[in-house]
Amino acid sequence: MLLTRRIPSAVLRPLEAACRVDLYDGPSPVPVEELKHRLAGQQALICLLTDPISADVLDASADLKIVANIAVGYDNIDVTHAKRRGIVVTNTPDVLTEAVAEFTWALILAAARRLGEGERLVRRGEWKGWALDFMLGTELRGKQLGIVGRGRIGQAVAAKAPAFGMRVAFAARQGRPIAGDELSFDELLIGSDVITLHVSHTARTHHLFDRRTFARMKRSALLVNTSRGPVVDEEALGWALTERLLAGAALDVYEREPQVHPSLMNLDNVVLSPHLGSATRDTRTAMAELAVRNVLAVLTGQEPITPV
């Protein structure tokens, strides 16, 4: 089997005991041509969301049985072609839910209280001391938290809202009846003080937040994205923040990672973090372990644990 990045040794050892492992140990994602070359003849692939697993890559091995993605999302994999080939695709849900939910709240608080801006000010030596009207932020208590995406992570974020005194509203899914704690997407945009995104990247959600969307939001609102970068049109976000159509934003994911749109780089009212949502030792180890368990299950003729 092929492993595109080193995983914790406690997880790697049982995998090596069960099968022959070809580990790509480079400092960056494996180049596509090398990926195809090394995949030839392999029965299993454990990859990351940074690895583009296209139809050409899948076809590099006629023996391929499973692609185990160490991520919840799987838009880096041509799932349709994998299904056509009879290749199992798995992901790693559940194990990262709480880590991402916690980090979402870290970003909400950082944006609301201008933490990144203040930290940069102190490091530059420009802080002149306490003042009554200095760097005033947004208090969360009594405000509405709008959540786009009612999956595991969206619900985990919502569960923590009462601790901050926030009321929660979910965006109703298109074409479905609106439940008691749901609003139409437009109502959510108009009424929410903080909007946080927890949806997968699909054709329907691509640039879901664009110029039109930002124009509908409160000028005092904050946007947080820990889902997928292309859900937000970064050029449009830069425009909205520059024009003060939004009070601020916090991003952990980007359209063209690791690139960030130039319009965002010098804005003080946006917090930029390097895709850290699931970045705890416990969670990343659990993600790798689940991917390995999926591979070993399929290779021994059992059902996958978390099939896509």
Side-chain angles (χ1 to χ4, degrees):
M1 69 146 294
L2 175 62
L3 177 60
T4 65
R5 191 65 59 89
R6 179 167 292 279
I7 58 178
S9 57
V11 181
L12 181 58
R13 281 195 296 269
L15 183 64
E16 290 178 323
C19 58
R20 183 177 60 81
V21 177
D22 179 12
L23 169 64
Y24 177 77
D25 205 17
S28 56
V30 54
V32 173
E33 289 306 313
E34 183 171 355
L35 175 59
K36 290 194 287 187
H37 173 73
R38 295 175 75 151
L39 188 59
Q42 301 284 6
Q43 292 185 314
L45 169 65
I46 296 180
C47 59
L48 304 183
L49 57 84
T50 51
D51 298 315
I53 312 302
S54 62
D56 285 349
V57 172
L58 293 169
D59 287 343
S61 174
D63 302 314
L64 193 60
K65 295 180 178 179
I66 178 172
V67 175
N69 211 34
I70 304 180
V72 172
Y74 45 86
D75 49 307
N76 60 310
I77 302 171
D78 189 333
V79 176
T80 301
H81 189 70
K83 185 176 181 180
R84 189 180 303 122
R85 283 270 318 274
I87 300 168
V88 173
V89 176
T90 66
N91 63 345
T92 58
D94 296 325
V95 293
L96 51 65
T97 297
E98 287 302 320
V100 177
E102 288 178 3
F103 192 75
T104 298
W105 278 103
L107 290 183
I108 291 172
L109 290 165
R113 300 303 298 271
R114 301 171 65 179
L115 184 59
E117 182 181 353
E119 201 255 1
R120 290 189 294 273
L121 189 77
V122 171
R123 286 184 180 276
R124 291 197 303 266
E126 297 177 7
W127 182 39
K128 305 304 180 184
W130 189 92
L132 187 65
D133 59 351
F134 177 64
M135 286 195 67
L136 303 182
T138 299
E139 195 163 328
L140 298 177
R141 182 165 297 278
K143 305 292 175 55
Q144 178 169 295
L145 175 67
I147 300 178
V148 181
R150 197 168 191 151
R152 299 174 183 87
I153 297 173
Q155 292 185 57
V157 170
K160 294 169 174 51
F164 298 96
M166 298 192 78
R167 62 184 183 276
V168 173
F170 288 93
R173 290 189 178 183
Q174 196 172 26
R176 294 190 180 184
I178 294 177
D181 59 353
E182 292 181 339
L183 299 173
S184 71
F185 183 61
D186 206 44
E187 289 173 328
L188 192 88
L189 294 177
I190 295 169
S192 295
D193 300 285
V194 178
I195 295 179
T196 178
L197 311 183
H198 303 286
V199 293
S200 57
H201 178 225
T202 65
R204 185 180 65 81
T205 62
H206 184 79
H207 284 186
L208 180 63
F209 279 75
D210 56 13
R211 286 195 176 212
R212 177 194 172 282
T213 311
F214 295 133
R216 298 290 287 165
M217 292 171 63
K218 290 183 175 183
R219 287 181 176 261
S220 58
L222 305 172
L223 177 76
V224 176
N225 187 16
T226 57
S227 61
R228 286 291 177 266
V231 174
V232 174
D233 181 341
E234 287 181 20
E235 184 279 327
L237 177 60
W239 164 79
L241 291 169
T242 300
E243 297 297 323
R244 297 289 172 176
L245 297 182
L246 301 180
L251 305 178
D252 188 45
V253 288
Y254 306 91
E255 285 192 77
R256 299 174 183 85
E257 291 187 18
Q259 299 175 34
V260 180
H261 196 279
S263 66
L264 300 174
M265 294 298 286
N266 296 315
L267 293 176
D268 274 330
N269 56 345
V270 58
V271 178
L272 304 172
S273 65
H275 207 143
L276 297 178
S278 64
T280 69
R281 290 184 180 87
D282 292 343
T283 292
R284 291 284 171 86
T285 299
M287 291 168 67
E289 183 179 25
L290 181 53
V292 168
R293 289 170 60 205
N294 273 303
V295 165
L296 295 180
V298 170
L299 293 185
T300 55
Q302 302 174 57
E303 292 296 314
I305 300 161
T306 52
V308 167

